Amino acid sequence: ESFSQVCGYSLEELRGKKPGKVLQGPESDPATVLRLHEAVHSATPCECQIINYKKDRTAYPVFISLGPLFENGK
């Protein structure tokens, strides 16, 4: 609910989509996008700040802290 209030998208609108494809835009730093992509695909922690875009295309800064979750070694 908090996410929807910030960005203007409902969960249903984003279901099945990659968040970056929807939320990133002209001011989203390509190097940061690459860092996030590499962290997700290599299952390594990552912290960064990036500019995302609301549904109405208003830019807003986001601090991202992500890390892998493993279950049974996967």
Side-chain angles (χ1 to χ4, degrees):
E1 187 176 317
S2 296
F3 176 79
S4 293
Q5 289 176 355
V6 169
C7 71
Y9 289 101
S10 68
L11 179 59
E12 292 76 30
E13 289 175 290
L14 296 178
R15 192 176 312 271
K17 298 178 181 172
K18 292 184 178 184
K21 296 289 184 189
V22 177
L23 300 173
Q24 293 162 3
E27 293 180 56
S28 302
D29 179 44
T32 303
V33 172
L34 181 60
R35 263 184 70 207
L36 286 167
H37 176 80
E38 289 174 347
V40 169
H41 288 283
S42 65
T44 56
C46 179
E47 290 188 349
C48 61
Q49 186 168 334
I50 192 166
I51 300 296
N52 275 353
Y53 289 82
K54 298 180 182 186
K55 187 175 180 178
D56 69 5
R57 302 315 289 160
T58 302
Y60 65 100
V62 177
F63 177 77
I64 298 172
S65 179
L66 61 87
L69 295 176
F70 296 101
E71 185 174 334
N72 299 323
K74 296 183 179 184

